[in-house]
Amino acid sequence: MEFETRAIHAGQEPDPATGAIITPIYQTSTYVQDAVGEHKGYDYSRVANPTRTALQAALASLESAEHGIAFSSGLGAVMTLFHLLSPGDRVVLIADVYGGVYRMTSQVYEPKGYRFEYLPAEEFANLGDHLDETTRMVWIETPSNPLLNIVDIRAAAEAAHAAGALLVVDNTFATPYLQRPLELGADVVVHSTTKYLGGHSDVVGGFAATSDPAIAERLFFLQKSLGAVPGPFDCWLVVRGIKTLALRMRKHCENAMAIAALLSRHPRVERVYYPGLPTHPGHAIAARQMRDFGGMVSFLAESPEEAAALVARTRVFRLAESLGGVESLIEVPARMTHASTADAPFASPPSLVRLSVGIEAIEDLLADLEDALVPAAA
Ligand code: PLP
């Protein structure tokens, strides 16, 4: 079946008890057993819950994965994946990794003896040179947050595998509608479902997918052992969100392209980061491995002061962290989502403004940005 059909039906059979077409919110912590150890596949909701089962099956299908494992947040998924490693293991990550991941690597795992190297996107052409026998994992975001850097997933998978390492791809920005890393050779895909998969800024969640049975078995074990599991209502919200993922992503991409074009010719914008622009250094790779270029656009304002001032001037674009909802958001990563990278070698530029372009009428979004970019006369 096609992607749009699977988004609506995969893992979402009518409820066997009532015929309800929508997967119920199984708001229960435990399940009655007929005799000791005799149950219907569920014994305790940290281990498994039917609403979570539906979400895991649906998202695994969309990522072309054999197995899906849901978590309480994107960082809950990241933390659990790092438990595939042991102290002393080395991980190579894309340099402008999400600030919360950098906070976890630098302040939680590095003090325990795990080792991390942060590699700029342009260095990924020579990824093999940065891998040694202690490197267990390569971690990329593509497009990356917040600079929209692009990494060639197939080439990264080949280099990682040649060194005996796993390739993990954070697919939060692209979503499986635009890009499916497992089909390109990645071992694990990770998501913050808080973003496009949920799609309505009303839930926090995470997800990992893999087709490797050994990794999947370990992740299910870690899911129940570490306990970063999502509640049934949160799972239900994401199941509902993904039904319209394809439609939403098409509009996000269309609006983002129009906004990138406007910003590119605007005299008060120093530089635009959007992989859909032919001038973007990763454009050719993005065009090859993505269906379209996504809904995130970043740009450099004239100064850090102007960046902070202009994000307070927009009216349709709301000043807020997060991304991927139907409504447009604007922020300054260096002072908001990526403040934790301030001391990193790859700190977010202070004049950078990040847009999560929503699915409102494009005329209103363009007018809002044009008004905000030209400060009112004193
Ligand atoms: N990965 C990326 C690319 C993100 O943007 C985020 C959050 O912004 C996360 C992971 C973490 O997800 P969560 O906020 O759901 O824990």
Side-chain angles (χ1 to χ4, degrees):
M1 279 193 283
E2 296 299 318
F3 186 94
E4 286 88 336
T5 314
R6 284 182 283 126
I8 293 168
H9 294 289
Q12 302 163 65
E13 290 301 314
D15 179 44
T18 62
I21 192 158
I22 295 301
T23 305
I25 304 165
Y26 283 93
Q27 193 70 40
T28 187
S29 60
T30 192
Y31 307 81
V32 175
Q33 309 196 2
D34 294 334
V36 176
E38 262 179 48
H39 53 72
K40 298 177 174 64
Y42 296 94
D43 57 0
Y44 185 58
S45 277
R46 175 166 32 73
V47 181
N49 172 284
T51 317
R52 196 204 310 165
T53 303
L55 171 64
Q56 292 180 158
L59 281 181
S61 168
L62 298 188
E63 281 290 4
S64 300
E66 294 292 325
H67 310 280
I69 306 102
F71 296 96
S72 53
S73 67
L75 287 187
V78 174
M79 171 200 75
T80 307
L81 284 172
F82 284 152
H83 278 266
L84 295 173
L85 306 167
S86 304
D89 286 347
R90 191 167 164 278
V91 182
V92 173
L93 302 95
I94 187 163
D96 59 320
V97 71
Y98 167 58
V101 172
Y102 177 70
R103 183 175 54 224
M104 191 188 299
T105 54
S106 60
Q107 296 185 49
V108 179
Y109 285 96
E110 212 169 285
K112 295 182 192 300
Y114 298 72
R115 295 176 301 134
F116 301 95
E117 179 181 337
Y118 305 93
L119 200 60
E122 54 277 14
E123 285 291 318
F124 270 77
N126 309 313
L127 175 61
D129 299 344
H130 298 267
L131 309 178
D132 62 19
E133 63 286 353
T134 66
T135 311
R136 291 282 312 281
M137 194 178 268
V138 175
W139 187 284
I140 59 173
E141 289 174 21
T142 180
S144 66
N145 181 5
L147 288 174
L148 287 314
N149 279 311
I150 299 293
V151 174
D152 184 332
I153 297 173
R154 195 183 289 282
E158 281 166 14
H161 294 161
L166 298 176
L167 177 68
V168 179
V169 180
D170 184 333
N171 207 26
T172 298
F173 268 36
T175 82
Y177 179 65
L178 299 181
Q179 167 177 284
R180 285 181 294 282
L182 298 183
E183 291 177 8
L184 299 168
D187 300 285
V188 182
V189 168
V190 61
H191 279 280
S192 167
T193 58
T194 315
K195 310 297 172 359
Y196 290 104
L197 298 177
H200 297 77
S201 305
D202 52 12
V203 64
V204 171
F207 179 71
T210 183
S211 291
D212 182 312
I215 296 174
E217 190 185 343
R218 186 69 185 160
L219 287 178
F220 279 118
F221 172 81
L222 290 170
Q223 182 193 39
K224 77 172 173 195
S225 303
L226 297 171
V229 292
F233 183 47
D234 289 355
C235 293
W236 186 87
L237 284 169
V238 180
V239 170
R240 186 169 72 159
I242 59 174
K243 289 176 193 284
T244 54
L245 179 65
L247 280 175
R248 286 187 284 109
M249 290 315 294
R250 280 187 221 132
K251 182 67 172 159
H252 282 297
C253 293
E254 186 187 308
N255 281 357
M257 185 60 106
I259 284 169
L262 167 89
L263 295 172
S264 302
R265 51 177 192 268
H266 200 286
R268 307 215 51 193
V269 170
E270 299 289 316
R271 181 173 170 188
V272 182
Y273 302 83
Y274 185 62
L277 296 174
T279 48
H280 187 287
H283 176 69
I285 297 169
R288 203 164 62 226
Q289 69 189 15
M290 298 177 74
R291 188 199 291 252
D292 203 337
F293 302 100
M296 300 300 295
V297 181
S298 295
F299 67 94
L300 288 180
E302 285 171 332
S303 66
E305 295 72 29
E306 175 55 15
L310 93 84
V311 299
R313 283 197 292 262
T314 53
R315 296 157 68 94
V316 183
F317 279 87
R318 298 288 186 176
L319 176 57
E321 303 206 358
S322 201
L323 61 114
V326 289
E327 60 284 295
S328 292
L329 301 179
I330 191 166
E331 66 129 358
V332 177
R335 293 177 58 186
M336 297 171 67
T337 51
H338 290 66
S340 57
T341 65
D343 61 346
F346 52 88
S348 183
S351 325
L352 192 75
V353 174
R354 191 189 75 178
L355 303 174
S356 173
V357 179
I359 64 170
E360 299 95 335
I362 186 61
E363 298 79 6
D364 292 328
L365 298 181
L366 293 173
D368 192 36
L369 286 175
E370 286 199 276
D371 288 351
L373 279 162
V374 181

